[in-house]
Every structure is written in C-alpha cells, then in structure tokens.
Amino acid sequence: MENPTGKKAFRYHIGGFGGYSAPTINNIKTVTIDLNAAGIAKVRKDRQSNIHLFVDVMKFFNGSNGFSIAAHPTVMFSQYSTSIAKNLTEMFKHDHTEN
C-alpha cells in the first residue's frame, strides 16, 4: 500500500469490543501466562523479584493465523480482523523470574 506521501505503509485496526447498543465483532482477548514454569517469584523482606515477560511481535504475523503485510497492508475492523486478533494471545511468554 502506498500512502499519499509515496511511502510504503501498513495499518491494522484490530479493535472491537462487542458494541454499545447492538452486537458487533468482539476482538478483546484474555491472555493467561503460567508464572510457575520459568521460576516462581518469592516474597521476602528486603528483596524484590523480577518477572521477565517477553512479547514476540512476529507472532502477530506468523502465529496460528499467519498472514503477510504484502497481502494485507490494511486491516480494519472486520471479520478478517477476528482471525488475526487470535494471534495476539500467542505473543506473550514468561521467560524467567529473578529472585
């Protein structure tokens, strides 16, 4: 897609929350992350734990419902946006916890 300035661009409006007065597409997702497998945070006096969460942005494009920017440079709030919204839940990972 070329925008008016001649630059190659892409845009994704995934939004959608079910509608106010009439039902619409709902792209709201809940992500549950297991914080046990990569180290449990310990509560201790005078010490802090650091939980490291990683976000892999490429999972948005190559997750379960992979797609390419070249094929879909613009995605607006539509039925197609529901399939890519599912990829958003695959982006998050608990890498490790420092105690």
Side-chain angles (χ1 to χ4, degrees):
M1 173 180 122
E2 297 260 344
N3 67 20
T5 64
K7 296 180 181 178
K8 292 183 179 183
F10 63 93
R11 68 179 161 197
Y12 296 98
H13 178 148
I14 303 304
F17 55 89
Y20 284 117
S21 58
T24 65
I25 294 169
N26 186 342
N27 284 336
I28 293 174
K29 302 296 178 215
T30 300
V31 177
T32 302
I33 301 172
D34 180 356
L35 296 179
N36 293 316
I40 299 170
K42 298 175 185 174
V43 178
R44 294 176 284 179
K45 185 179 178 181
D46 302 325
R47 297 269 330 243
Q48 294 181 356
S49 294
N50 291 310
I51 297 173
H52 292 246
L53 300 177
F54 283 5
V55 179
D56 183 351
V57 175
M58 286 308 297
K59 292 279 186 189
F60 177 66
F61 298 102
N62 62 19
S64 297
N65 297 307
F67 68 100
S68 76
I69 294 172
H72 299 278
T74 298
V75 175
M76 298 305 284
F77 179 63
S78 66
Q79 200 58 43
Y80 186 73
S81 71
T82 62
S83 66
I84 17 183
K86 294 175 185 172
N87 289 350
L88 296 171
T89 62
E90 301 173 20
M91 295 172 55
F92 302 91
K93 174 187 170 190
H94 176 211
D95 186 67
H96 67 280
T97 297
E98 296 173 352
N99 286 301

